[in-house]
Structure formats: C-alpha cells, structure tokens
Amino acid sequence: MRPILLSGHERALTQVKYNSDGDIIFSVSKDHVIGAWYSHNGERLGTYHGHQGALWTVDVDPTSTLLASGGADNTMRLWEVKTGKLLKTWDFLTSIKRVEFSSDGRQLLGVTEKRSGQLSTIVVYEINPDPEAEQTDEQSLKIVCDESKATVAGFSYMAQFIIAGHEDGTVSQYDAKSGELLYSTQVHEADMQVTDLQWAPDRTYFITASKDKTAKILSTDSLEVLKTYTTDTPLNSAAITPVKDYVILGGGQAAMDVTTTNARQGKFEARFYHKIFMEEIGRVRGHFGPLNYVAVHPLGTGYCSGGEDGYVRVHHFDKPYFDFLYEVEREQKQQASL
Amino acid sequence: MSRAAGRTDWAEEEDDDSVQLPQQQITKNKDGTETITTYSIREDGKKVKTTRRIKKITIKQVVNPRVAERKHWPKFGAEKGKPLGPQTDTTSVAENISFRPTSNWKASNEDKSEIDAKKNVLKDAKIKCRICSGDHWTTKCPFKDTMAPEGEAAGAADLGDDAPPEQGGLGTGGSSYVPPHLRGRGGAGEKMGGKFERDDLATLRVTNVSEFAEEQDLRDMFSRFGHVTRVFLAKDRETGRAKGFAFVSYADRSDASTACDKMDGYGFGHLILRVEFAKKAT
C-alpha cells in the first residue's frame, strides 16, 4: 500500500471528506483554504478561497455540486464545487464547528460554538440544489444546546432525526422537524468530549469517537450502544468501512503534548478494528502528528486521513485488506459454498 | 559576470556553475520505460543529479459518467492554469506501507509491551550507589573521586585484591546469589590461602615473572584467552618489585587451559614464563 501524500496545506488538517462517488477528496485546514483533490492520483483540482479564519469543517452534497464549510471566522459558506465560486455566506456570532448535508442534500446543518455569552446551537437551512439559485437566509430550525455544547451533529436517515454529540460525552437525538429533544444519553465518560460522529452508509447506525479513548457504534433509533472499541489514546475520529466490516479510528495525544514525545509513543496511527468482533486487527502509521480526521472511500476501496502535521495521506487498500477473514468467517463461508 | 567574458579566476568558477544547471532530460528507453534526469542544488550547495526510471502503465477503469466528467473539469483556485496530472509540490508518494490485518494483532503487540513493562520494572528498581548509598548509579556519584566504595575501603589493602567491579554491585544488593568465584568467601577457613582456593579450578600459577612486571601487563597478556577475573602479582612489601610469581584466574576453565598451553614458555621481559595450573594449597 503506497499512500499518496497531499501537502497542499500549510497548517493542521481539521477535516477531510470524500464526495459520494469517492473520486474527490475535500480537505480543510487551519490555513483558511479548502482543497479539492482527485482521490485516485492525488492531483489537486483546486482551492476555495474566501474564509478569514481557521476552518473546522467541510461537507459536500450528494451530487457533488455544492460544498459547505465552516470555520473560526464565524461564517458558514456555500461553494460551487466545480468552479470554486463562493455562493453564499451565513454570518454567526461564534465559530462553526461542524456542517453536514442531509442525505438528500436539501438541508444543511451547522453547529455553532459556545463562546462570549452565546450558547451552542444547531442551525438548519433549506438548500436549493441549483448552484445558480439564491440561497435562503432563513433558518428553518434552530436548536439551542443549553446543557452542554454540541461538538458534532448529523442528519439521520430520511432526515428524521438530528443526532448530536456533546462536550460532556453525551449523545442526543432531536426531532429534525420540530427540534424537540427526544432522548439524550451518557455514552462516553463524563466530561470527555465527543470528537467525531460518522454514519454507516444507510445512516441507521453511526460511530462516535471520544477523548475518553473509546469509539462506539450506536443505533440511530434507540441510541443504544451496539459496539465499543477501546484504545489507549484519545480519539479524534472514527469511520465505518463499507464492503469489509471494519472501523478505522484515528487519534493520538493532544497536539500540545506532541513535542515532548517521539512518533511511536505519540500513537499517531490509524487503527483498524473489526466492526463485529471489536478486536484490533492492524495499524497504519505514517503521520507524525495526531490524526484529526479519517474518512473512508464510499466504495470501501481506500481511506484518507488528515493529521495535525499538515498532511493528508490517501490510502488505496490492497489485497490483504480484502482477503482478511476471521476463522469463523472463513468456516461460515466454506459451509455456505458446500 | 558574463560567461562569455571568459573566466580567468578559479574563484568565480563555482558561482557560475551554480547558476547554470542542465535542463531536465527525458529519454525513452526501448523497453517502454522513461528515464528522467533532473539536476538540482542541495541546501549545502552541492549539485545533485537525480535519475529516475519510470514505467507508465495504463490501467483502464470503468467509472461512473459523473466521475468521468469531473475528471475533465478545469482546475481553479491555486491550481488554475496548471497542467493535467499531479503537481510535485502538492502531491507525492510516500514510502510503501505493508498493511495486513491479523486476528491476533493485539496479542503480537502485547509481547512488545511486555518488554516495555520489563524495562519499566528495571526503571523502578532501587538504585543504590556503592560509594555513598544514594539513589543513583555508582558512576554518577558526586563523591566517586573522593571516596572509596563502601565495604571495599578495608579490603582494598589486603593483597591488592583485583576483584571485578561487578562484585560490589551485586553483593550490596542483598541478593542471595553469589557468583561462583566468590563462593566460599566468608565461609569455612578464613586463612590466607582461602582466597586462592575459591577458584583454583581456573587459576593459573605463573612463575619466572620479571621483577619489573606489573599486574596490568599480565592482565593484558592473559585476557587474550578469555575473561580474566583476577590477577594477583606477588610483590615485595618493601621494594614494591615483583617477587617473580603471579596467579591469574579465569572465569572459565577452558580458557584457563588454553592460556596455560599458549603462555607456558612465552618470553616476557627477559625471562621465559612458566605457566601451570595452581595447586591447592595443602
């Protein structure tokens, strides 16, 4: 497996995302610029300029026409993917920590930071998928998180719920129409921030990563913890792989402690766990800073990771990855073929 | 500084060279590969020639028409106007990483952590200085030049005991293990000869030694055949000169017997050494 190194960013990566076909990777970093890259060869398609502060988040709609981003300049912006043109800017009082499109691309969600007397909120906008059209300024929904600030959020299947992860380790479920809090549960250890939330392809379950060194798979409907993956390092990101039943976890100790330890102790590796058996099956090293985000190719053929070291590493899985089976899986397969 | 002027001064030569770099050359080989030769200047000012041989393979892949269309989008932003294909300043290929999932990955990794754990145990072990009994290594002791090791202060005088340095380190640890060459010490028979008996199996008696010989000379000569644990050269108390005989102890008896064979009849100083196994004092 020969990773492709994308070195277009000058500062730490904060999020990387594949589009729905997996041919383009979008990357955002603290250097104010969004990058778009072809995933198969690492060629840079272009950059999106306009943000005035560090970027925290990016998301692309299912048709790869619109791109949303949010950052520390207190704006959420909408871009045309193809040309890099800025289509719309929404201004806020605090920075945007997370943006996400619904699975039909008609709604866009943003999570705002809690700061200077402002509570953390989750806002939703209706999006017109036509890049020529005028986008609305009106928020179709605003959820105020008064107990603990939201750090991550996303739309469930059919945009029925909004699931949010909070700073205090809880995960909550909101009605995506009314904004009513339906259910909230302490999933991760208290006061251990939920750092990432990524969906399974059908959005009926999702994986959360937390600073408490665990990642958990939860069911969307009941918020029941289905699987737990325990590691030895604070996690920044977790992703579910299609095709093979694995999860990829990324983390490493906090950026402020990095200079005092060497690369191996820092645990800057992508960790692969078996999704069902919850056992670690391997690691991929390479970054020399913590992994801030891992994203999986929607077709399951590869993954990419963005690190605090300013690099995106794009990996295309090779044969051993697809061939690997547990003994029980192999037996089952044999029996099925008999 | 034009080159046409024709340089006469050798000092200018380097400057001119560093400006003038040959162009990148691409040659097509017969077997379908390409050789790309590029020149660059390293940070330390040295000129570097890089030769890369590249084989281009076309892999046909059927993709979604949407994806195919996106492949031909014009570049924009910082990439605007750049030619097709990955640019070397933003995209590179990292070294190969072998990734094979294994079901017992954790177990194989735990072996490693066990080693770490062992190291940690050693780290936490009590360190006691032989000189001042402080919690640091003897070599790091601030008093190491001014004080003799504890317990050795008294023994240092007797017979110039040349015991190996490990002896004290182990002995003071209070462990019950006693190295073979120390066994018997402090046991029955505290007589003079007792010191020699303890390892007489691997001890050589060397006679006809020059009176100007030093212990170190003997040690140098005999340590060629194996690990010498002790050298004792009998010296006259008043003149400080050698009395003409010495004992050399080895850790291993087989080393002692080779040394016995080889060193018997060896010329040292102006005399011929006589080497034999030490006999038990009767």
Side-chain angles (χ1 to χ4, degrees):
Chain A
M1 188 161 73
R2 249 177 208 285
I4 304 171
L5 218 64
L6 311 183
S7 46
H9 288 288
E10 286 159 12
R11 289 195 58 201
L13 272 292
T14 49
Q15 197 172 20
V16 287
K17 270 264 167 84
Y18 280 94
N19 68 345
S20 59
D21 291 315
D23 61 324
I24 299 178
I25 295 168
F26 296 96
S27 60
V28 285
S29 104
K30 292 181 185 170
D31 66 1
H32 312 183
V33 179
I34 310 167
W37 314 76
Y38 288 115
S39 66
H40 69 287
N41 63 356
E43 180 181 357
R44 187 156 75 172
L45 168 63
T47 51
Y48 304 80
H49 295 269
H51 271 288
Q52 304 290 320
L55 290 170
W56 299 121
T57 175
V58 70
D59 197 22
V60 62
D61 79 339
T63 56
S64 304
T65 48
L66 298 175
L67 184 75
S69 64
D73 59 352
N74 299 353
T75 62
M76 188 160 104
R77 292 173 195 241
L78 196 71
W79 312 80
E80 189 179 15
V81 171
K82 186 177 178 179
T83 59
K85 197 171 86 181
L86 178 62
L87 301 176
K88 177 76 187 169
T89 305
W90 292 279
D91 279 297
F92 292 89
L93 292 165
T94 56
S95 63
I96 306 295
K97 295 300 277 186
R98 186 57 74 115
V99 293
E100 195 171 301
F101 280 100
S102 62
S103 45
D104 62 356
R106 294 299 185 107
Q107 290 180 79
L108 176 65
L109 156 162
V111 178
T112 69
E113 175 76 294
K114 174 184 175 181
R115 193 177 295 134
S116 56
Q118 300 293 321
L119 283 171
S120 166
T121 59
I122 300 170
V123 295
V124 177
Y125 290 96
E126 298 290 333
I127 296 296
N128 189 331
D130 179 11
E132 305 295 325
E134 184 76 16
Q135 301 293 343
T136 177
D137 266 323
E138 194 189 336
Q139 295 169 1
S140 62
L141 185 66
K142 183 176 179 180
I143 301 167
V144 179
C145 306
D146 43 6
E147 274 192 21
S148 174
K149 79 170 188 196
T151 50
V152 290
F155 284 105
S156 77
Y157 58 90
M158 313 287 283
Q160 189 179 354
F161 305 118
I162 291 173
I163 306 286
H166 297 264
E167 196 187 22
D168 62 355
T170 57
V171 173
S172 50
Q173 185 189 55
Y174 298 93
D175 187 308
K177 299 277 184 301
S178 65
E180 185 193 345
L181 176 62
L182 300 173
Y183 184 58
S184 180
T185 173
Q186 186 81 39
V187 170
H188 289 281
E189 271 176 45
D191 290 327
M192 290 293 194
Q193 185 189 337
V194 178
T195 48
D196 194 21
L197 187 159
Q198 290 196 40
W199 296 95
D202 64 359
R203 299 204 187 205
T204 56
Y205 60 95
F206 57 92
I207 188 165
T208 58
S210 163
K211 290 283 178 204
D212 73 357
K213 306 183 180 179
T214 63
K216 298 190 184 199
I217 284 185
L218 276 72
S219 118
T220 304
D221 287 330
S222 62
L223 295 193
E224 183 194 351
V225 177
L226 303 175
K227 297 284 173 189
T228 302
Y229 310 93
T230 312
T231 70
D232 54 357
T233 181
L235 293 177
N236 292 331
S237 187
I240 300 169
T241 62
V243 185
K244 295 297 285 186
D245 283 332
Y246 306 145
V247 296
I248 309 176
L249 313 181
Q253 72 213 131
M256 58 187 291
D257 303 327
V258 166
T259 48
T260 57
T261 49
N262 72 19
R264 183 153 288 283
Q265 283 173 335
K267 306 178 174 112
F268 310 138
E269 294 153 318
R271 293 129 190 277
F272 285 72
Y273 280 68
H274 197 279
K275 186 167 79 180
I276 314 295
F277 300 115
M278 301 189 282
E279 256 183 2
E280 186 159 11
I281 52 169
R283 288 185 187 180
V284 173
R285 62 189 166 71
H287 280 286
F288 45 91
L291 276 72
N292 285 340
Y293 209 85
V294 289
V296 178
H297 193 292
L299 305 178
T301 57
Y303 84 99
C304 67
S305 52
E308 187 72 21
D309 57 7
Y311 289 104
V312 180
R313 296 174 74 95
V314 184
H315 307 75
H316 295 273
F317 294 130
D318 42 24
K319 207 162 171 295
Y321 171 89
F322 296 103
D323 286 350
F324 173 70
L325 286 176
Y326 266 82
E327 199 59 46
V328 284
E329 291 177 300
R330 213 172 293 139
E331 280 169 15
Q332 193 188 29
K333 220 176 188 181
Q334 258 172 4
Q335 273 171 0
S337 65
L338 284 177
Chain B
M1 244 205 335
S2 84
R3 289 175 64 78
R7 48 171 187 262
T8 47
D9 189 359
W10 56 269
E12 286 179 9
E13 208 169 302
E14 203 182 36
D15 277 341
D16 282 0
D17 268 357
S18 64
V19 179
Q20 198 68 25
L21 277 175
Q23 285 292 306
Q24 171 177 308
Q25 286 180 336
I26 301 176
T27 42
K28 289 216 159 64
N29 301 331
K30 274 178 196 160
D31 55 353
T33 59
E34 276 182 8
T35 308
I36 302 176
T37 315
T38 49
Y39 299 89
S40 61
I41 293 172
R42 232 171 20 197
E43 278 162 16
D44 57 359
K46 292 236 169 74
K47 214 159 67 164
V48 181
K49 178 181 172 187
T50 318
T51 312
R52 279 178 296 179
R53 219 165 130 219
I54 293 173
K55 189 176 182 184
K56 287 184 180 165
I57 307 169
T58 312
I59 301 171
K60 284 213 172 120
Q61 202 180 9
V62 181
V63 294
N64 195 309
R66 290 193 302 268
V67 176
E69 191 222 317
R70 283 199 283 267
K71 275 198 182 127
H72 297 102
W73 279 359
K75 295 186 177 184
F76 56 90
E79 288 288 312
K80 196 167 187 172
K82 298 254 179 84
L84 209 71
Q87 301 296 303
T88 47
D89 58 336
T90 55
T91 307
S92 53
V93 178
E95 79 271 33
N96 202 11
I97 291 174
S98 77
F99 175 64
R100 5 185 104 251
T102 44
S103 51
N104 57 351
W105 193 89
K106 191 114 194 188
S108 60
N109 192 52
E110 253 162 6
D111 293 347
K112 228 190 292 166
S113 61
E114 245 170 54
I115 296 170
D116 285 347
K118 263 184 200 163
K119 266 187 199 159
N120 281 334
V121 167
L122 272 183
K123 227 183 253 171
D124 294 340
K126 278 258 160 55
I127 297 168
K128 195 179 165 201
C129 173
R130 270 183 290 131
I131 296 171
C132 66
S133 305
D135 56 350
H136 48 249
W137 298 107
T138 307
T139 51
K140 300 270 163 63
C141 182
F143 306 112
K144 96 177 146 188
D145 298 327
T146 52
M147 283 168 74
E150 263 180 4
E152 271 183 40
D158 76 337
L159 291 169
D161 191 2
D162 211 340
E166 305 93 73
Q167 177 195 332
L170 289 169
T172 50
S175 86
S176 56
Y177 176 70
V178 181
H181 68 282
L182 292 180
R183 282 172 196 161
R185 173 177 259 193
E190 272 287 276
K191 54 182 178 175
M192 276 288 285
K195 277 183 76 74
F196 303 96
E197 271 175 3
R198 63 175 184 243
D199 46 7
D200 57 354
L201 273 180
T203 299
L204 300 177
R205 179 166 173 269
V206 187
T207 50
N208 208 22
V209 182
S210 158
E211 62 175 318
F212 300 104
E214 292 292 336
E215 263 182 24
Q216 193 55 45
D217 301 331
L218 291 170
R219 185 177 284 276
D220 290 345
M221 285 193 299
F222 282 88
S223 56
R224 272 184 274 167
F225 306 100
H227 178 57
V228 174
T229 58
R230 187 182 66 110
V231 174
F232 169 65
L233 177 67
K235 281 181 179 169
D236 188 287
R237 200 180 292 254
E238 275 157 31
T239 61
R241 285 185 179 173
K243 276 181 169 177
F245 71 96
F247 291 96
V248 178
S249 302
Y250 282 89
D252 193 357
R253 187 175 158 90
S254 62
D255 291 339
S257 68
T258 30
C260 183
D261 291 346
K262 299 274 179 192
M263 293 302 286
D264 194 20
Y266 183 81
F268 174 60
H270 52 93
L271 298 170
I272 290 168
L273 294 181
R274 176 163 168 70
V275 181
E276 59 202 334
F277 272 95
K279 291 181 189 80
K280 225 171 213 163
T282 45

